Amino acid sequence: MNNHYEPYVRNKRDLKVPYISCQDYTNLEQASKLIPALKQINQANRNLADTEAYAYILRSNNDDDIHKSIKYGIWTSSKENNEKLNAKFLEAQEQGKTVYLFFSVVRSGQFVGVAKLTSGYKEESFQYWWEIKKWKGHFNVQWLYVKDVPNKHFEHLKNSDNVEVTRSRDGVFLNWETGKEMMKIFEEFADKKSILNDFTVIDEREQALRQYKYQMQQQRNQQQYYPYYQYQYYDYQQYQQYPQYQQYQNYQWQQPQK
């Protein structure tokens, strides 16, 4: 008889994204060779403000999630926001328009960049957000501008709730006239300071988080091994004679999946 021990299996809906990094993110030409998602960032003469589009303001609780979104080209939000973004993306596809996302970090006093939605909602969840269990599923996004633009440059603009864009809730919709003005500000803003300057430090935190998750996974694997042998005709009383039975008698009997 061949005994087989099957480890704990991760959720098949996990989004598998290998870790990537580089030494200097401020040199986008070199960094984009290692990280393709950086290729489109801060290109000149785009004139995106001249197009017709939809726009939303999204707010992150921390820099770490912005960092991962830029590197891996993904984002997710609350269930309510994800439903809104997915519906608007599908509508925009039918109309030949684009959905732009203006990102701000809570209590940072600035906007940090602009991205566009490049997919609808997908069920697979990224496992390395700062608050792992809070966020489900993901969208693909392409970051277009990564710049630290202080709130004072946007204070004259209001969102669809007639509130200053700098005080917007996460997931609030912008009419395109306001979105167009925000896009112009990002296109023309010359200061080179951005979250990219901090990427090597945030990379270290991401590595630590991935290592922690890996170690926790290994511990779960060790705790959740269970024995079974090939699904054939067998005599359960005979199985009780094997030493493995005594060791695993508290485990529930499992039959292999066909």
Side-chain angles (χ1 to χ4, degrees):
M1 182 184 71
N2 293 323
N3 287 319
H4 177 75
Y5 300 90
E6 182 175 297
Y8 170 80
V9 179
R10 291 184 65 189
N11 190 333
K12 293 182 179 179
R13 289 190 174 182
D14 287 354
L15 179 66
K16 296 180 180 180
V17 180
Y19 174 78
I20 52 176
S21 66
C22 69
Q23 295 182 344
D24 182 11
Y25 288 93
T26 57
N27 186 339
L28 288 174
E29 183 177 353
Q30 292 299 319
S32 62
K33 294 178 181 179
L34 294 172
I35 306 175
L38 303 180
K39 288 182 179 180
Q40 301 297 319
I41 291 176
N42 296 344
Q43 291 186 0
N45 303 317
R46 273 206 177 101
N47 300 318
L48 298 178
D50 296 336
T51 62
E52 287 297 320
Y54 296 113
Y56 287 86
I57 289 179
L58 297 181
R59 293 169 63 81
S60 174
N61 291 325
N62 55 78
D63 291 330
D64 293 66
D65 288 347
I66 297 291
H67 156 268
K68 298 180 187 76
S69 177
I70 294 171
K71 280 208 308 180
Y72 303 122
I74 56 176
W75 187 253
T76 192
S77 187
S78 65
K79 180 179 179 181
E80 178 185 358
N81 285 346
N82 285 345
E83 290 174 352
K84 289 192 299 184
L85 292 174
N86 186 61
K88 188 59 69 175
F89 176 79
L90 296 177
E91 179 183 342
Q93 288 288 98
E94 293 178 355
Q95 299 174 355
K97 295 183 180 181
T98 303
V99 179
Y100 293 114
L101 311 172
F102 293 89
F103 283 87
S104 174
V105 176
V106 175
R107 293 186 294 276
S108 68
Q110 61 190 10
F111 281 84
V112 297
V114 185
K116 69 176 180 179
L117 274 182
T118 58
S119 81
Y121 179 77
K122 299 180 180 180
E123 293 289 340
E124 297 84 3
S125 297
F126 183 59
Q127 295 300 302
Y128 303 106
W129 298 121
W130 190 254
E131 300 173 276
I132 301 169
K133 296 182 180 180
K134 186 175 181 179
W135 311 114
K136 304 298 182 182
H138 76 284
F139 295 89
N140 292 120
V141 298
Q142 173 62 63
W143 282 75
L144 305 173
Y145 293 105
V146 179
K147 302 177 180 181
D148 289 351
V149 185
N151 282 347
K152 65 181 181 181
H153 295 276
F154 304 99
E155 289 177 346
H156 62 290
L157 299 174
K158 295 187 177 182
N159 61 35
S160 56
D161 295 333
N162 201 32
V163 176
E164 293 177 5
V165 295
T166 56
R167 298 172 55 210
S168 295
R169 296 173 290 104
D170 180 36
V172 73
F173 179 74
L174 295 176
N175 64 64
W176 184 234
E177 288 302 314
T178 301
K180 185 183 298 186
E181 289 297 316
M182 293 186 70
M183 188 69 77
K184 285 181 180 179
I185 292 170
F186 267 100
E187 289 177 342
E188 298 171 359
F189 193 74
D191 194 336
K192 294 184 179 180
K193 182 181 177 183
S194 75
I195 191 175
L196 293 172
N197 299 101
D198 301 323
F199 262 34
T200 52
V201 175
I202 306 176
D203 273 348
E204 294 176 3
R205 295 204 291 263
E206 182 190 350
Q207 270 190 311
L209 176 61
R210 284 177 177 262
Q211 182 64 24
Y212 170 77
K213 287 278 289 181
Y214 175 78
Q215 292 173 349
M216 293 299 99
Q217 186 69 35
Q218 293 299 103
Q219 289 182 17
R220 286 195 294 269
N221 286 350
Q222 294 173 5
Q223 294 170 1
Q224 299 192 32
Y225 273 58
Y226 54 80
Y228 68 87
Y229 61 90
Q230 296 299 320
Y231 182 58
Q232 298 172 347
Y233 296 105
Y234 58 84
D235 183 345
Y236 181 68
Q237 291 183 347
Q238 182 181 3
Y239 175 73
Q240 290 178 308
Q241 300 174 10
Y242 286 86
Q244 289 89 343
Y245 174 77
Q246 299 299 323
Q247 183 178 359
Y248 295 102
Q249 58 183 333
N250 293 327
Y251 282 74
Q252 182 178 0
W253 181 260
Q254 300 286 343
Q255 294 180 354
Q257 300 294 324
K258 290 186 176 181

